[in-house]
Amino acid sequence: MDMSFSPEEIAFRDEVRAFIADNYPQELRDLKTRGDMTKEQILMWHRILYKKGWIAPHWPVEYGGTGWSITQRYIWNEECARAETTPLLPFGLSMVGPVIYTFGNEEQKKRFLPGILSGDDWWCQGYSEPGAGSDLASLRTKAVREGDHYIINGSKTWTTLAQHADWMFCLAKTDPDAKAQDAISFFLIDMKTPGITVRPIITMDGGHEVNEVFLEDVKVPAENLIGEENKGWTYAKFLLGNERSGIAGVARSKKAIERLKNIAKAELVDGEPLLDQEEFSTKISEVEIDLTALEFTELRTLAAESKGQGPGPESSILKIKGTEIQQRITELTLEAVGHYGFVYAPHGHERTGNEYVPGPEYAAGQSQNYFNMRKTAIYGGSNEIQHNIIAKMVLGL
Amino acid sequence: MDFSFSEEQTLLRNTVQSFLQDKYDFDTRRKIVASDEGFRRDYWQQFAELGLLAAPFSEEMGGLGGGAIDTMIIMEEFGRHLVVEPFLETVVLAGGFLREGGSPAQQEELIPGIIGGEDIWTFAYAEPQGRYNLADLKTTAKKDGDGFVLNGYKCVVLAAPWADKLVVTARTSGGQRDRDGVTVFIVDKGADGVSTRDYPTVDGRRASEITFENVKLGADAVIGEVDKGLPLVEKVTDQAIAALSAEAIGGMKELNEATVEYCKTRKQFGVPIGKFQVLQHRMVDMFMAYEQSVSMTYMVNLKVEEEEAERKKAASGAKVQIGKAGRFVGQQAVQLHGGMGMTDELSVGHYFKRLTMIDTQFGNVDHHLKRYSSAA
Ligand SMILES: Cc1cc2nc3c(=O)[nH]c(=O)nc-3n(C[C@H](O)[C@H](O)[C@H](O)COP(=O)(O)OP(=O)(O)OC[C@H]3O[C@@H](n4cnc5c(N)ncnc54)[C@H](O)[C@@H]3O)c2cc1C
């Protein structure tokens, strides 16, 4: 057991910190939320890291990874969160990328990995359907083989940022007779293919983040099938495990607590900082302690992973606790801003230039952020489903 | 001991219910919120015609003499439909100030305009530095001949974009947070020196930031006693809390019903999700949170006329209950609806947002826990 950084690791941290300081674009520093960003802005930091060769630290070196140790990756995440760099989109780098290099053929690796790394291809996740959320295996989108193509029909929903996507990885049924888990295949679909329609879904915070995607006689070349036909469920679950651990967001939550404390310092109760009110500072301490526990749980998981174990069902702990903590922080932040929580801050797509958003800058959009973050207990497999997984797979109930 | 409603009260509830069922379905409400003005003036007139704006005023004042319980009934039904029209601001708050503290002349002059639906009012009290402390005021009113000159800034004044008249708190003497030295004024929104900037709120309403710059007020603009306004402000805001509690239970009731219904019909893994025991227990907890909130709402509305210490405890106790319950019910209603709960399309998120903001209005859970403890 050892927690301290070696001199080499400290040198690495300094290098990383300096790189971010020198290269993170001013244009992005001036922005507040991803909701306000253009497609190019969302990709800006991605492209800079790609050029540097640091875009995919968690990938094997042969496919473009950095070869960093667990500790280095931990340092990297900490430094990014510390500098509040724009989070990288997970759909290519953390979701479909690892599926492709693990289960795809040489041709597919050559064709798709470079675009994921460079950011030239924007991916979206076509799993959920109106009738298939928690029970993902009950999905009904169908793919029928016709010569060297599949014809795909069905609809996907809640597809995050599909409005910008070039590609979608998509689950579809290829065997109408088999039991669900043996009937699903994993496809890569070019979003420009005729027959695909994307329609926005506006969430309660007013943002446009998710979409419906309709597929009508969409012709997908057979070479875009990953692995074997009817084995897609295996790949899909592999991906979900990675998605879950990615949602924990420990380093980002640390930063969010720091921001919360700054807000609570500025807000006054009877002339004294809110942060000095015992009932409020106690609540911050509680969430901070929860986060410390989660941080060490994550480090234990990572350490086990580096020895070749996992990520097993333990990733469900990271997902549940990580999202509970994120939600709690946004709730406390909303509480901290007091009356100005009422103010509606228009999203990028609603702006006309004449909006008036009163109150301190730190208050803007905090209630909407709180509303929006309710999603984290729903997506990536709802927190109820994660409880079921732990009960069954870990406790053997 | 009797918790049943009188015939008149049941009639009142039926009147409100049938109006809202006909004219305030969720789609209509969405259009109202999106409209330029943000509320329906013609509905406001109809509220007047139905007697809703007269309900809590005594018969001597031209009202129907219903008191807190009638207000509770109206607010609960409004809560069920997420009504945005400024009943709380005009009738409960401004009406409350005039009822509790107004001179006979003020009552005679101003209450008819409220009852008749001609005048819309709101209460401008919050200041950025003051948080939930009603006495923490930088806004000042300085003596000027017979009258006063008002200067200062009020933040997040709900319904102000629609209002003709404002009830404003200002410091007339003492230090920034002294209990003494607070005075309540009537200010015409159109008066010289009053400027407003309007914006939408996250719960579908409108609000303004208001600046007062050398606004001249006559001696007759004072409600109640000069320098002795704080007890009046506390009394009226406690009445508003009683009314808000009723609005909150209306919202929770709708959320609970919608959630139970959804869990009976939404199928995953081949069964309605309501079959999963963890969700059943969650819905039972939501139901209990609602029932406890109903109890606290009845309690506070029955005790809102009691002496000060008793009233404060009742109001703060109710506010803590609805703050906690509203948060739990709102969050879980979203959670149990899954992705659908996150959408703008479904009403669930809109109830959740309103319940969230009710916790902020007139002080959140922490604020009222403290106030309760110091009153106890
Ligand atoms: C903002 C957002 C972004 C998303 N992005 C994507 C995306 O990019 N791509 C994609 O494919 N999907 C995406 N999703 C979809 C997400 O994965 C689903 O919403 C999630 O799987 C839940 O499914 P559902 O919404 O159909 O809810 P349901 O499955 O209908 O669940 C409703 C409720 O029932 C509970 N429940 C269901 N089954 C059980 C059980 N067995 N035991 C106990 N409780 C149960 C759930 O926990 C939930 O509370 C996104 C969702 C959101 C909200």
Side-chain angles (χ1 to χ4, degrees), chain A residues 171-182:
Chain A
L171 301 179
K173 287 238 155 103
T174 31
D175 185 344
D177 303 321
K179 108 175 197 306
Q181 283 80 349
D182 301 326

Side-chain angles (χ1 to χ4, degrees), chain A residues 35-78:
Chain A
D36 290 343
M37 297 168 96
T38 62
K39 182 173 180 176
E40 259 327 296
Q41 283 171 334
I42 297 177
L43 286 172
M44 207 174 267
W45 182 230
H46 182 121
R47 294 197 203 281
I48 291 167
L49 292 178
Y50 169 64
K51 249 195 234 140
K52 175 77 179 168
W54 287 359
I55 190 61
H58 54 296
W59 286 23
V61 179
E62 51 176 319
Y63 299 121
T66 50
W68 291 343
S69 66
I70 293 284
T71 313
Q72 284 175 307
R73 274 161 59 185
Y74 168 82
I75 291 171
W76 170 243
N77 283 334
E78 285 281 309

Side-chain angles (χ1 to χ4, degrees), chain A residues 204 270 331 335 340 370, chain B residues 131 133 209 331 353 366:
Chain A
M204 65 165 126
D270 301 336
E331 189 174 292
E335 217 178 283
Y340 282 111
Y370 164 69
Chain B
R131 206 171 182 82
N133 181 349
E209 302 289 290
Q331 291 180 346
K353 289 190 280 187
D366 280 357

